[in-house]
Amino acid sequence: MIIIHEPSPIAFTLGSFAIHWYALSYLCSIYVATLYTKALTQRVHPEMKKKLFLDPFFSYLCTGIILGGRLGHVLFFDPLFYCAHPLDIIKIWEGGMSFHGGLIGTIFAMYWVSKRFPPIKFSTLCNAVATAAPLGLCLGRVTNYLNGELIGVPTHQGWGVVFTNTDAILRHPSQLYEAVLEGPIVWIIIYLFHLRKPSLSNPWKATFLFIYGYSAGRFCAEYFRTPDGMVGFLSLGQLYCLICAFFAGIIQFYLTKNTRTLP
């Protein structure tokens, strides 16, 4: 089956004001993640029901994801361009967000929230966000498809998608591959190995399952996606996934050997 896709970044308009798919996906995913995290932390810490937790958490999470994701894209993928055009750094409406930068920004945001609301452990917040994150990633990749960006490599299988904003070449819908691999597949892994039977002795389990699951899914999907750049035989995305998983493994090993220092 061949699909002719005419991408548009605009979901709908309200008078002269345009609502973009990016804005909808970010707001929906972050808001759902906020509600989920609030529900989980209040189940673990009932006393949090009396505190103003939702609004500050939502603002911190938004700031961490957007600021970290944008700066990550600037530093990891095209630093020379942004050094020459520094004003373009703030043009997030033109696209350009890095998952790994957003991950770092989210970690800092969760740490800040855990310090502001002392009963909540840093690990509890990270686990909750890790469980909710696959939904946001799935929505983000679907948005990439609707916008006609991060397109796939050409396919000769007789089926695929033609992105009219790019060329007339039949391509893999790599954005949708990533939506499935980084979204539902990662959530199922977290559900099977953590949510069904949470481990009290391993409070970071969901966080590391998410990092490893995402890294594996993104690494595989990159073979069908036009790379942002290459380092040897690896795309930049694959390289950053390997680095992320490697450091996650080191941190997990350290936490396992130093259980008394778990935050």
Side-chain angles (χ1 to χ4, degrees), residues 114 120-129 203-207 262-263:
S114 69
I120 301 180
K121 289 186 177 181
F122 182 35
S123 57
T124 300
L125 285 173
C126 288
N127 275 347
V129 173
W204 290 93
K205 191 174 184 180
T207 301
L262 287 173

Side-chain angles (χ1 to χ4, degrees), residues 60-140:
Y60 289 142
L61 188 59
C62 282
T63 302
I65 291 176
I66 295 175
L67 187 59
R70 185 57 175 173
L71 292 179
H73 174 77
V74 171
L75 296 174
F76 299 157
F77 290 98
D78 210 349
L80 295 180
F81 171 82
Y82 288 105
C83 282
H85 306 83
L87 292 180
D88 285 353
I89 294 176
I90 64 175
K91 296 180 180 179
I92 59 175
W93 56 87
E94 294 182 356
M97 299 288 283
S98 164
F99 163 80
H100 297 97
L103 175 64
I104 295 172
T106 300
I107 290 173
F108 277 107
M110 296 306 94
Y111 182 77
W112 182 265
V113 172
S114 69
K115 292 301 181 183
R116 181 170 179 180
F117 299 92
I120 301 180
K121 289 186 177 181
F122 182 35
S123 57
T124 300
L125 285 173
C126 288
N127 275 347
V129 173
T131 306
L135 170 63
L137 290 172
C138 183
L139 289 175

Side-chain angles (χ1 to χ4, degrees), residues 247-262:
F247 279 104
I250 292 177
I251 295 172
Q252 185 178 24
F253 178 79
Y254 171 79
L255 293 176
T256 301
K257 296 298 182 181
N258 298 272
T259 54
R260 292 184 180 179
T261 65
L262 287 173

Side-chain angles (χ1 to χ4, degrees), residues 134-149:
L135 170 63
L137 290 172
C138 183
L139 289 175
R141 294 308 184 192
V142 171
T143 298
N144 292 149
Y145 174 81
L146 294 173
N147 286 347
E149 58 195 10

